[in-house]
Amino acid sequence: MLVKVADWIVDQYEQLQTWVNEKFDDDPRKADAVKTWITVACIAAVAITVILLVWLVVTVLGGLTLAVAQGAATGLGWALERVADWNLTEVITKPVHDYITAHAAGLPAGAEAIWSAWTLTGPILWLICWLTKSWGARLAWVLYGAGTVAMVYSASPASGQLLAAGVAVLYWAVLSVFALRGLGRRPAVHVHPASVPDTTTALQHLRTQVAEGLGEVRTRLERIEAASDELAARRAGSRDDGDS
């Protein structure tokens, strides 16, 4: 609909321009003034149309995003409830729920709010550790696991405290395989071939330097030998002159 409105505005603008040219053909100044006002009015109409279009898009996308987020939150809550109802999982969740219920009396949040926070904090920390490998998140994950094991041990029946705590540790260890992946691994060092010196080129350079040095030494020795021969010749000439 807004596109049709924009097309209508353009058509009206063209028609008004034609009308002004025909109406004020004998007065160019007045025609230019009328055209200016028509242009301003059309620009304002187009701006209002664009604003309405943006508002409509934002409203629709915002509604869709909110609906998707609510659906995802509902699905996640349902999945967590199903996992919490599993018998083997209840070895951990029931003692924790009992511990929170027993010790939340008098707190402003209440037992159910603290229980909901505990059930959501674990998966969120696990995802952050798995995706970002953040040291802060990993430390929080370790503390979360230690607190969970402590609550399970404290609130479990006396005859099964160690077993319940062992099951909690087993759960936490399996999840930590993914949450703490890469921990202690040395970072990979990539050496680019361009940064490694070429051994053949280095040897050739060394040989060239040695050859140049030997050439200089040989040249100096030849000069010294020539100078010695010249000096010996002069001495021999001087002796011949003395004998004569």
Side-chain angles (χ1 to χ4, degrees), residues 13 145 221 224:
Y13 174 78
L221 291 176
I224 293 173

Side-chain angles (χ1 to χ4, degrees), residues 183-201:
L183 187 64
R185 183 185 302 172
R186 293 182 179 179
V189 179
H190 300 283
V191 180
H192 298 283
S195 61
V196 180
D198 190 357
T199 307
T200 304
T201 305

Side-chain angles (χ1 to χ4, degrees), residues 131-157:
L131 296 176
T132 66
K133 298 181 181 180
S134 170
W135 283 99
R138 287 176 171 177
L139 178 59
W141 171 256
V142 172
L143 296 177
Y144 178 84
T148 301
V149 172
M151 286 189 289
V152 169
Y153 180 83
S154 177
S156 296

Side-chain angles (χ1 to χ4, degrees), residues 193-242:
S195 61
V196 180
D198 190 357
T199 307
T200 304
T201 305
L203 290 176
Q204 291 178 354
H205 183 66
L206 179 61
R207 290 174 182 174
T208 303
Q209 289 183 345
V210 172
E212 291 177 355
L214 292 176
E216 292 179 359
V217 172
R218 184 179 299 174
T219 302
R220 292 178 182 179
L221 291 176
E222 289 177 353
R223 290 177 181 177
I224 293 173
E225 184 177 358
S228 300
D229 293 341
E230 184 179 357
L231 181 60
R234 289 180 180 178
R235 289 180 178 178
S238 62
R239 288 178 183 176
D240 292 339
D241 292 339

Side-chain angles (χ1 to χ4, degrees), residues 20 31 34 81 188 238:
V20 169
V34 174
E81 289 178 358
S238 62

Side-chain angles (χ1 to χ4, degrees), residues 92-113:
I92 301 172
T93 56
K94 189 177 183 304
V96 172
H97 186 271
D98 294 341
Y99 184 90
I100 293 174
T101 303
H103 293 80
L107 295 180
E112 292 302 322

